[in-house]
Amino acid sequence: MRPKTEDFKHQTLNKTMSNTLAIVGRPNVGKSTLFNRLTQTQEAIVESISGVTRDRIYGKSDWNGYEFSVIDTGGYVHGSDDTFEEAIRKQVLFAIDESEAIVFVVDARDGISPLDEDVAELLRKSKKNVFIVANKVDSPSLGDQTGEFYALGCGQVFPVSAINGSGTGELLDEIVKEFKKIEEDDDTDIPRIAVIGRPNVGKSSLINTLLGDDRNIVTPIAGTTRDSIYTRYKSFGHDFMLVDTAGLRKKGKVYENIEFYSTVRAIRSIERADVCIVMIDAQSGMEKQDINIFHLAEKNKKGIVIVVNKWDLVDKQTNTHLEFEKQIREKIAPFSDVPIVFTSVKDKQRIFKALELSAKVFENRSLRIPTSQLNDYLLPIIENNPAPMASRGRYVKIKYIMQLKTGTPQFVFFCNLPDDVKENYRRFLENKIREKYDFTGVPIQLFFRKK
């Protein structure tokens, strides 16, 4: 039975992740190389061809206790008639709008170019904190020549070599002065449940129905939710922070410039969530992008509940839901130990079941198993089902198991040859843990170490 609206106590919180750094500049000055350096990844494609970075790329970095987001943009070209360069220009404008600080990358070897002057004019109008990075300073003599970039009127100049990292420490020291240290909220103990999925699968409708109002905008147009909205839900023994997120689309379908930031915010919401409700459309089934979204939550070690919405629109026979569920589990394998619920938000069918399952998954995520109990259970199984022979005719011998004191379920197996444990045996051990203990909906990690 659906509770009355007055039974609810809810509160919408304005939570935004601050501390965002945008990297801008004309093409082929080394923006992506600097992005990779700051985020310690190889996520941005780096080639010595102008215009390689078409889409903005989002990553995370930290320096001296400050965490911040980094956005790599395509090269800014003013006045171009090229459609591709026009799209890049719009991306840069949105990156500037989104960020608290901006790194303006120029090429120390080339000196100031007309395109640099175009970018500088744009940045001066933005009134944002700008740091000029004179990149490709691979020798002291080049560093002495970077003073000319002060003529751009955009702030301090930092001689840097992004490819080897020289000068980046001094740059970061100054950048983080513009940021705030992210303080933990007073409600950190409250489970955060993020509702994620492709656009127009019913995420906002689900939250509105749970809350009994139209707090989140709902339209039949895909992509209405631009930001992630946090709403406190307290009722019937539950106390959650519900998070409505922007729909995640394939990269090739991110046509609107602002939608990139919707995707960034959705990813941030996943990162900050404890449990993710992955909503899919019953009419279209579990598509490739649904699977990508599922694995994004899994990769971030979040609890997961799959909600198949619009079930009322599907022609059903006796075992339709069982066959549908089987297909989903095959597509998300090997992590298929996930609760699946079939709902109709429109008809208010089984929507509270989704909430109950989310609460149970959150509880499972916090499950801790005593070390003695874990060893008493697993060691006899390992003895009767030893790992396959390792290289050079040696055998893997597991002596001891313990669960780590971490925020998500992680188990360490102490053995003689940790590098020789094969993936199929890892999966065997994980399945045995799941058979005994209820980790439904929760990714678990296994580590193998020498004692």
Side-chain angles (χ1 to χ4, degrees), residues 73 188 255:
T73 63
T188 49
Y255 296 123

Side-chain angles (χ1 to χ4, degrees), residues 209-263:
T209 305
L210 289 170
L211 297 175
D213 64 14
D214 292 324
R215 182 168 297 276
N216 297 339
I217 299 171
V218 178
T219 73
I221 303 169
T224 302
T225 302
R226 294 299 191 188
D227 216 336
S228 298
I229 303 169
Y230 290 74
T231 308
R232 183 79 170 267
Y233 174 95
K234 293 183 70 174
S235 188
F236 300 95
H238 294 307
D239 188 0
F240 298 136
M241 196 67 73
L242 292 172
V243 189
D244 183 21
T245 62
L248 292 166
R249 297 191 184 197
K250 296 178 183 177
K251 285 185 178 179
K253 291 190 176 180
V254 181
Y255 296 123
E256 299 177 68
N257 294 290
I258 198 170
E259 193 163 308
F260 171 83
Y261 290 106
S262 298
T263 304

Side-chain angles (χ1 to χ4, degrees), residues 333-346:
F335 177 42
S336 57
D337 184 17
V338 177
I340 301 172
V341 59
F342 296 84
T343 69
S344 168
V345 174
K346 178 173 169 281

Side-chain angles (χ1 to χ4, degrees), residues 374-391:
L374 194 61
N375 282 271
D376 289 345
Y377 168 62
L378 282 176
L379 287 179
I381 293 174
I382 292 169
E383 185 177 351
N384 293 325
N385 301 273
M389 183 182 294
S391 58

